[in-house]
Amino acid sequence: MTSSFLGGMTPDAFLSEYWQKKPLLVRQAVPGFISPVSPDAFLDLATRPDAATRLIVEEGGAYPWELMEGPFDPDELDPVPGDVWSMLIQEMDRMDPAVHALWKHVSFLPNWRLDDIMVSLASPGGGVGAHIDNYDVFLLQGHGRRRWQIGLSPVDEEVLIPDLDVSILADFTADAEWVLEPGDMLYLPPRFAHYGVALDTCMTFSFGCRAPSAVELTGALLEQAMTGLDPDRRYGDPDLKAATVPGVLDDAPLAFARGLLAEVAAEADRTLGMVLTEPRRYAELDAGPELTPDELQARLAGGERLHGLAPYQVLHRLAPGGDVLRLFVRGECLELDASFEPFARALCSVEGAGAEDVQDDPVLLDLLVELVAEHLLLLR
């Protein structure tokens, strides 16, 4: 099926021709798009204590490109300090259901590859400077106009302007330039330089993807695996023979080390699911509503649905053998009967799981009320 978001291409065609290869500009990727968040509502969200907010004041601050970290008190933003500025809120999809619903436009991507929808609000002339990202990003214009200048080749090694609060390329040269209006979308693969400047009061929705580095992923896997190791387990050699060449590293300790790594590898699917669903920013959240199973079912019957806080924070996989379903929720691994797999698929969709997806099973219902109470799942 073709997608207006992808300029009339099928997802397979986009992935084959553009994904991680070259930029794509799509006019009216979301025809008639109206930002689900107004500039005033955005500034209100920036004062929430759980908002991951940054304010970059290019001109009119204490010094050029001053970076301020939120959240902010309302009086700090009335008016927004500085003459030329850009404010960014990460994880707006967690904070606003209408923003969360925008994930439907990239539902052809695996959930674990999705990070968050960041929204920026900028004054005329505002931006964050020329920069690169180490991940794929879809830039959907939501309000006002923004001029984008981009490079058409990936940057191998960036040179930054020194002594700034933000990372800005020192040697950016634009190969292409476009002005985006509401509903237009620009896709950029990793490490393609780009520079966006608001032409008027402007809001942009950035669909950020995840690309764990080898160091990050290996470290997280080993750290998670170590939590399951017996701290008293040590190398032993009761059948040790007298050494003829004491300085030689023999096979025994190597076999022990390889055996430990093999044990880690055997649990890689379980460990990886826990690692990939760990929250990337805010681990501590307010408690959710405490419900009985009957109350949960009533709210689902009334039209509410169950969601993860972010697409990557709820994943599922059948364990080896196929009779156990592993449901990964915010860094935890929950093992359920494989018959719950259809529910897990619905839960991990953009729409979430509704009454029609939740089996009338006491084990599942008890688990769900617990996850909602712990704010590991959202009910909305």
Side-chain angles (χ1 to χ4, degrees):
M1 179 180 294
T2 61
S3 166
S4 66
F5 195 74
L6 302 176
M9 283 186 288
T10 64
D12 284 340
F14 166 76
L15 294 171
S16 175
E17 296 179 34
Y18 289 92
W19 177 254
Q20 302 227 311
K21 302 173 188 70
K22 58 184 179 181
L24 173 66
L25 171 68
V26 179
R27 297 293 186 187
Q28 288 304 286
V30 183
F33 182 60
I34 298 175
S35 172
V37 180
S38 69
D40 287 341
F42 179 94
L43 291 174
D44 286 340
L45 287 170
T47 65
R48 275 180 41 171
D50 63 334
T53 310
R54 291 170 288 159
L55 173 62
I56 298 170
V57 182
E58 181 177 352
E59 299 176 13
Y63 48 86
W65 297 104
E66 180 183 8
L67 173 64
M68 305 178 192
E69 300 278 354
F72 299 95
D73 292 328
D75 57 357
E76 294 180 285
L77 302 181
D78 188 20
V80 176
D83 302 318
V84 179
W85 53 266
S86 184
M87 185 180 296
L88 307 97
I89 302 180
Q90 301 273 171
E91 296 188 359
M92 281 280 285
D93 53 309
R94 170 177 60 84
M95 303 172 69
D96 187 283
V99 177
H100 175 88
L102 295 176
W103 282 123
K104 66 186 178 185
H105 297 296
V106 292
S107 60
F108 57 89
L109 295 174
N111 281 7
W112 76 267
R113 281 291 260 133
L114 307 177
D115 185 0
D116 76 325
I117 299 178
M118 181 185 75
V119 183
S120 65
L121 171 67
S123 69
V128 298
H131 64 284
I132 64 170
D133 297 315
N134 289 312
Y135 48 83
D136 304 83
V137 63
F138 299 84
L139 300 164
L140 174 64
Q141 191 62 23
H143 178 84
R145 299 170 302 144
R146 186 182 291 273
R147 182 182 68 243
W148 284 105
Q149 296 176 311
I150 70 167
L152 294 178
S153 300
V155 176
D156 292 327
E157 185 174 351
E158 67 269 36
V159 178
L160 303 178
I161 300 175
D163 304 321
L164 294 182
D165 287 355
V166 292
S167 298
I168 298 178
L169 295 173
D171 54 355
F172 173 70
T173 301
D175 298 318
E177 178 178 317
W178 304 288
V179 173
L180 270 64
E181 299 187 355
D184 294 343
M185 185 276 291
L186 175 62
Y187 161 74
L188 294 171
R191 302 194 67 81
F192 276 68
H194 50 289
Y195 182 24
V197 176
L199 300 184
D200 36 42
T201 301
C202 165
M203 294 184 72
T204 302
F205 292 71
S206 300
F207 298 60
C209 298
R210 302 181 69 191
S213 71
V215 171
E216 174 191 358
L217 196 56
T218 302
L221 283 169
L222 292 176
E223 182 179 357
Q224 183 65 248
M226 286 178 65
T227 63
L229 291 176
D230 180 356
D232 296 324
R233 182 181 176 187
R234 293 179 178 274
Y235 172 76
D237 47 10
D239 299 322
L240 181 66
K241 306 298 182 183
T244 56
V245 185
V248 170
L249 177 63
D250 58 37
D251 292 341
L254 293 176
F256 180 71
R258 288 173 179 147
L260 293 175
L261 292 176
E263 292 176 19
V264 171
E267 284 293 307
D269 61 337
R270 181 177 183 275
T271 306
L272 185 62
M274 297 168 70
V275 167
L276 290 178
T277 56
E278 287 180 343
R280 293 169 57 79
R281 296 173 187 88
Y282 285 92
E284 298 298 326
L285 296 168
D286 294 336
E290 294 191 8
L291 306 170
T292 66
D294 287 343
E295 289 170 335
L296 173 63
Q297 287 183 302
R299 290 182 60 167
L300 291 171
E304 294 184 77
R305 304 183 76 86
L306 287 163
H307 300 266
L309 275 73
Y312 72 87
Q313 290 187 18
V314 183
L315 302 173
H316 64 91
R317 180 180 176 85
L318 287 175
D323 57 347
V324 173
L325 172 71
R326 287 175 172 167
L327 184 65
F328 304 100
V329 183
R330 284 176 61 84
E332 297 185 19
C333 177
L334 310 171
E335 297 198 339
L336 303 171
D337 189 86
S339 62
F340 293 129
E341 186 181 19
F343 159 75
R345 291 188 180 189
L347 180 66
C348 294
S349 68
V350 175
E351 296 79 13
E356 69 279 8
D357 305 304
V358 178
Q359 292 99 313
D360 186 11
D361 183 285
V363 173
L364 180 61
L365 291 171
D366 285 346
L367 173 63
L368 294 180
V369 296
E370 180 181 344
L371 294 176
V372 170
E374 294 178 2
H375 207 161
L376 299 178
L377 292 181
L378 292 177
L379 179 64
R380 61 188 182 191

mmCIF file of all heavy atoms in Angstrom, residues 239-263:
data_model
loop_
_atom_site.group_PDB
_atom_site.id
_atom_site.type_symbol
_atom_site.label_atom_id
_atom_site.label_comp_id
_atom_site.label_asym_id
_atom_site.label_seq_id
_atom_site.Cartn_x
_atom_site.Cartn_y
_atom_site.Cartn_z
ATOM 1 N N ASP A 239 41.228 -30.425 39.414
ATOM 2 C CA ASP A 239 42.075 -31.413 38.732
ATOM 3 C C ASP A 239 43.336 -30.779 38.147
ATOM 4 O O ASP A 239 43.944 -31.319 37.213
ATOM 5 C CB ASP A 239 41.283 -32.098 37.605
ATOM 6 C CG ASP A 239 40.072 -32.844 38.141
ATOM 7 O OD1 ASP A 239 40.188 -33.437 39.223
ATOM 8 O OD2 ASP A 239 39.020 -32.813 37.477
ATOM 9 N N LEU A 240 43.745 -29.641 38.704
ATOM 10 C CA LEU A 240 44.914 -28.927 38.197
ATOM 11 C C LEU A 240 46.164 -29.818 38.248
ATOM 12 O O LEU A 240 46.399 -30.523 39.227
ATOM 13 C CB LEU A 240 45.149 -27.667 39.039
ATOM 14 C CG LEU A 240 46.325 -26.772 38.626
ATOM 15 C CD1 LEU A 240 46.073 -26.149 37.263
ATOM 16 C CD2 LEU A 240 46.559 -25.695 39.693
ATOM 17 N N LYS A 241 46.931 -29.779 37.168
ATOM 18 C CA LYS A 241 48.198 -30.514 37.101
ATOM 19 C C LYS A 241 49.358 -29.535 37.240
ATOM 20 O O LYS A 241 49.214 -28.338 36.968
ATOM 21 C CB LYS A 241 48.327 -31.265 35.775
ATOM 22 C CG LYS A 241 47.152 -32.190 35.442
ATOM 23 C CD LYS A 241 47.007 -33.297 36.472
ATOM 24 C CE LYS A 241 45.860 -34.240 36.090
ATOM 25 N NZ LYS A 241 45.629 -35.287 37.110
ATOM 26 N N ALA A 242 50.493 -30.050 37.625
ATOM 27 C CA ALA A 242 51.681 -29.213 37.781
ATOM 28 C C ALA A 242 52.040 -28.567 36.443
ATOM 29 O O ALA A 242 52.054 -29.225 35.394
ATOM 30 C CB ALA A 242 52.856 -30.032 38.301
ATOM 31 N N ALA A 243 52.330 -27.239 36.462
ATOM 32 C CA ALA A 243 52.673 -26.507 35.245
ATOM 33 C C ALA A 243 54.097 -26.812 34.827
ATOM 34 O O ALA A 243 55.005 -26.813 35.655
ATOM 35 C CB ALA A 243 52.491 -25.012 35.475
ATOM 36 N N THR A 244 54.268 -27.072 33.554
ATOM 37 C CA THR A 244 55.624 -27.250 33.013
ATOM 38 C C THR A 244 56.183 -25.932 32.478
ATOM 39 O O THR A 244 57.396 -25.699 32.514
ATOM 40 C CB THR A 244 55.619 -28.297 31.891
ATOM 41 O OG1 THR A 244 54.679 -27.896 30.880
ATOM 42 C CG2 THR A 244 55.196 -29.658 32.442
ATOM 43 N N VAL A 245 55.272 -25.059 31.982
ATOM 44 C CA VAL A 245 55.670 -23.708 31.530
ATOM 45 C C VAL A 245 54.717 -22.727 32.222
ATOM 46 O O VAL A 245 53.642 -22.418 31.717
ATOM 47 C CB VAL A 245 55.573 -23.573 29.997
ATOM 48 C CG1 VAL A 245 56.115 -22.199 29.548
ATOM 49 C CG2 VAL A 245 56.326 -24.688 29.300
ATOM 50 N N PRO A 246 55.066 -22.240 33.396
ATOM 51 C CA PRO A 246 54.135 -21.451 34.208
ATOM 52 C C PRO A 246 53.611 -20.185 33.530
ATOM 53 O O PRO A 246 52.517 -19.715 33.856
ATOM 54 C CB PRO A 246 54.967 -21.098 35.444
ATOM 55 C CG PRO A 246 56.010 -22.158 35.517
ATOM 56 C CD PRO A 246 56.332 -22.494 34.100
ATOM 57 N N GLY A 247 54.386 -19.623 32.583
ATOM 58 C CA GLY A 247 53.963 -18.361 31.973
ATOM 59 C C GLY A 247 52.953 -18.492 30.855
ATOM 60 O O GLY A 247 52.487 -17.482 30.320
ATOM 61 N N VAL A 248 52.582 -19.713 30.486
ATOM 62 C CA VAL A 248 51.649 -19.909 29.379
ATOM 63 C C VAL A 248 50.202 -19.770 29.871
ATOM 64 O O VAL A 248 49.838 -20.320 30.917
ATOM 65 C CB VAL A 248 51.853 -21.304 28.744
ATOM 66 C CG1 VAL A 248 50.729 -21.620 27.754
ATOM 67 C CG2 VAL A 248 53.191 -21.366 28.042
ATOM 68 N N LEU A 249 49.409 -19.027 29.098
ATOM 69 C CA LEU A 249 47.968 -18.970 29.352
ATOM 70 C C LEU A 249 47.342 -20.195 28.701
ATOM 71 O O LEU A 249 47.288 -20.304 27.475
ATOM 72 C CB LEU A 249 47.371 -17.687 28.761
ATOM 73 C CG LEU A 249 45.843 -17.534 28.893
ATOM 74 C CD1 LEU A 249 45.416 -17.474 30.348
ATOM 75 C CD2 LEU A 249 45.373 -16.303 28.133
ATOM 76 N N ASP A 250 46.900 -21.121 29.517
ATOM 77 C CA ASP A 250 46.408 -22.374 28.953
ATOM 78 C C ASP A 250 44.924 -22.295 28.609
ATOM 79 O O ASP A 250 44.289 -21.256 28.728
ATOM 80 C CB ASP A 250 46.707 -23.546 29.894
ATOM 81 C CG ASP A 250 46.091 -23.358 31.273
ATOM 82 O OD1 ASP A 250 44.969 -22.817 31.340
ATOM 83 O OD2 ASP A 250 46.722 -23.767 32.273
ATOM 84 N N ASP A 251 44.359 -23.451 28.194
ATOM 85 C CA ASP A 251 42.995 -23.468 27.674
ATOM 86 C C ASP A 251 41.923 -23.379 28.760
ATOM 87 O O ASP A 251 40.787 -22.973 28.474
ATOM 88 C CB ASP A 251 42.773 -24.752 26.867
ATOM 89 C CG ASP A 251 43.579 -24.781 25.577
ATOM 90 O OD1 ASP A 251 44.006 -23.695 25.139
ATOM 91 O OD2 ASP A 251 43.785 -25.883 25.031
ATOM 92 N N ALA A 252 42.243 -23.763 29.981
ATOM 93 C CA ALA A 252 41.204 -23.871 31.006
ATOM 94 C C ALA A 252 40.509 -22.536 31.309
ATOM 95 O O ALA A 252 39.269 -22.465 31.298
ATOM 96 C CB ALA A 252 41.794 -24.483 32.275
ATOM 97 N N PRO A 253 41.261 -21.466 31.604
ATOM 98 C CA PRO A 253 40.552 -20.209 31.876
ATOM 99 C C PRO A 253 39.838 -19.662 30.640
ATOM 100 O O PRO A 253 38.788 -19.010 30.760
ATOM 101 C CB PRO A 253 41.658 -19.261 32.349
ATOM 102 C CG PRO A 253 42.917 -19.831 31.787
ATOM 103 C CD PRO A 253 42.713 -21.317 31.790
ATOM 104 N N LEU A 254 40.394 -19.921 29.449
ATOM 105 C CA LEU A 254 39.712 -19.483 28.239
ATOM 106 C C LEU A 254 38.382 -20.222 28.074
ATOM 107 O O LEU A 254 37.370 -19.630 27.688
ATOM 108 C CB LEU A 254 40.597 -19.727 27.018
ATOM 109 C CG LEU A 254 41.879 -18.874 26.923
ATOM 110 C CD1 LEU A 254 42.692 -19.294 25.704
ATOM 111 C CD2 LEU A 254 41.534 -17.401 26.854
ATOM 112 N N ALA A 255 38.364 -21.498 28.368
ATOM 113 C CA ALA A 255 37.123 -22.269 28.280
ATOM 114 C C ALA A 255 36.093 -21.755 29.287
ATOM 115 O O ALA A 255 34.894 -21.677 28.990
ATOM 116 C CB ALA A 255 37.416 -23.751 28.513
ATOM 117 N N PHE A 256 36.561 -21.372 30.480
ATOM 118 C CA PHE A 256 35.661 -20.827 31.499
ATOM 119 C C PHE A 256 35.047 -19.515 31.018
ATOM 120 O O PHE A 256 33.824 -19.311 31.105
ATOM 121 C CB PHE A 256 36.435 -20.617 32.793
ATOM 122 C CG PHE A 256 35.606 -20.046 33.917
ATOM 123 C CD1 PHE A 256 34.631 -20.797 34.543
ATOM 124 C CD2 PHE A 256 35.814 -18.739 34.340
ATOM 125 C CE1 PHE A 256 33.872 -20.268 35.586
ATOM 126 C CE2 PHE A 256 35.064 -18.202 35.372
ATOM 127 C CZ PHE A 256 34.093 -18.975 35.997
ATOM 128 N N ALA A 257 35.898 -18.625 30.473
ATOM 129 C CA ALA A 257 35.402 -17.330 29.988
ATOM 130 C C ALA A 257 34.443 -17.511 28.820
ATOM 131 O O ALA A 257 33.390 -16.860 28.751
ATOM 132 C CB ALA A 257 36.578 -16.442 29.583
ATOM 133 N N ARG A 258 34.795 -18.395 27.896
ATOM 134 C CA ARG A 258 33.913 -18.629 26.755
ATOM 135 C C ARG A 258 32.590 -19.237 27.189
ATOM 136 O O ARG A 258 31.541 -18.958 26.612
ATOM 137 C CB ARG A 258 34.612 -19.529 25.745
ATOM 138 C CG ARG A 258 35.743 -18.826 24.993
ATOM 139 C CD ARG A 258 36.524 -19.789 24.141
ATOM 140 N NE ARG A 258 37.591 -19.111 23.409
ATOM 141 C CZ ARG A 258 38.757 -19.662 23.110
ATOM 142 N NH1 ARG A 258 39.013 -20.918 23.484
ATOM 143 N NH2 ARG A 258 39.668 -18.983 22.434
ATOM 144 N N GLY A 259 32.636 -20.076 28.208
ATOM 145 C CA GLY A 259 31.403 -20.651 28.718
ATOM 146 C C GLY A 259 30.486 -19.591 29.308
ATOM 147 O O GLY A 259 29.259 -19.646 29.122
ATOM 148 N N LEU A 260 31.076 -18.595 30.008
ATOM 149 C CA LEU A 260 30.268 -17.512 30.561
ATOM 150 C C LEU A 260 29.617 -16.699 29.441
ATOM 151 O O LEU A 260 28.424 -16.349 29.512
ATOM 152 C CB LEU A 260 31.136 -16.598 31.427
ATOM 153 C CG LEU A 260 31.685 -17.213 32.721
ATOM 154 C CD1 LEU A 260 32.623 -16.222 33.414
ATOM 155 C CD2 LEU A 260 30.549 -17.600 33.669
ATOM 156 N N LEU A 261 30.393 -16.398 28.394
ATOM 157 C CA LEU A 261 29.838 -15.644 27.272
ATOM 158 C C LEU A 261 28.753 -16.450 26.552
ATOM 159 O O LEU A 261 27.763 -15.879 26.082
ATOM 160 C CB LEU A 261 30.951 -15.264 26.296
ATOM 161 C CG LEU A 261 31.965 -14.233 26.808
ATOM 162 C CD1 LEU A 261 33.066 -14.023 25.789
ATOM 163 C CD2 LEU A 261 31.273 -12.911 27.129
ATOM 164 N N ALA A 262 28.937 -17.763 26.475
ATOM 165 C CA ALA A 262 27.922 -18.601 25.847
ATOM 166 C C ALA A 262 26.621 -18.559 26.647
ATOM 167 O O ALA A 262 25.525 -18.562 26.071
ATOM 168 C CB ALA A 262 28.428 -20.038 25.714
ATOM 169 N N GLU A 263 26.727 -18.519 27.964
ATOM 170 C CA GLU A 263 25.536 -18.421 28.805
ATOM 171 C C GLU A 263 24.821 -17.089 28.568
ATOM 172 O O GLU A 263 23.590 -17.035 28.522
ATOM 173 C CB GLU A 263 25.920 -18.576 30.275
ATOM 174 C CG GLU A 263 26.407 -19.968 30.649
ATOM 175 C CD GLU A 263 26.863 -20.047 32.104
ATOM 176 O OE1 GLU A 263 26.477 -19.153 32.889
ATOM 177 O OE2 GLU A 263 27.607 -20.989 32.447
#
